[in-house]
Amino acid sequence: RGITVYVTGFAQSPGSYTVSSLSTLVNAVLAAGGPSAGGSFRSLQVRRGGKLISDFDLYDFLLKGDKSGDVLLQNGDVVFVAPAGAQVAVIGSVNSEAIYEAKAGDTLNDVLLYAGGANTVADLSRLHVFDPMSDQGWQEVAPQLARNEPVRRGQVLRVLSGVGIAQPMQRLQSLVTVSGEVAKPGRYFVKPGTTLDEVVAMAGGLT
């Protein structure tokens, strides 16, 4: 038999819904069209009698196929879609370029995993981050730092390809082609005044 639940907050179509007595939190949110543009995918709350029953992370379901945290609804439950948290864009050589919502404590590496990880032509030794709140432009981040560096709202994480042009960390003027017996042949932007030894090192050194 049907039960009535209320979907509130930042849902596409908030309101009261009559759903099956076997419906869960995810069923109700999907019935309301999912989170809106300003809604969170990371915090879907069920309140019953004024008490918080569950705070579900929809990424667990969408990205990992894990629905274990979903809860069965009861008549009169309120499903609240929280406002979206910090959002980070992931572009470049990843499996799914998109803007992702980060939770508190998420690192650059966590967000990279949300994007399905790097694709087959990615060069994970060269990750670039752009922070619109900083005037430093694109900054290269070492893989170890990416595992510990917390993300901030509005950042763009770019994974460079292991083929083609290596993009600059900031506004650079010289384009150098490195070929032959080096680990990573290709074209590299370098700062004016960069030495030959430094360019070879950028290309991974001699084989």
Side-chain angles (χ1 to χ4, degrees), residues 109-128:
N109 193 63
D110 291 328
V111 176
L112 177 60
L113 294 177
Y114 296 153
N119 63 25
T120 54
V121 298
D123 183 355
L124 281 176
S125 68
R126 301 167 66 221
L127 305 177
H128 284 180

Side-chain angles (χ1 to χ4, degrees), residues 88-100 111-112 115-124 126-129 138 156-163 165 167:
V88 179
V90 184
I91 61 175
S93 295
V94 294
N95 287 306
S96 182
E97 290 185 309
I99 295 174
Y100 294 92
V111 176
L112 177 60
N119 63 25
T120 54
V121 298
D123 183 355
L124 281 176
R126 301 167 66 221
L127 305 177
H128 284 180
V129 176
W138 288 97
V156 180
L157 173 62
R158 179 171 62 187
V159 181
L160 296 185
S161 171
V163 295
I165 297 178
Q167 298 296 327

Side-chain angles (χ1 to χ4, degrees), residues 126 128 140 164-178 186-192 194 199 202:
R126 301 167 66 221
H128 284 180
E140 189 163 321
I165 297 178
Q167 298 296 327
M169 291 185 292
Q170 50 191 339
R171 297 190 67 181
L172 307 176
Q173 300 177 1
S174 302
L175 178 63
V176 178
T177 300
V178 184
R187 289 181 288 174
Y188 291 81
F189 282 98
V190 299
K191 296 178 181 179
T194 301
V199 173
M202 289 177 64

Side-chain angles (χ1 to χ4, degrees), residues 7 50 65 155:
V7 182
Q155 284 183 319

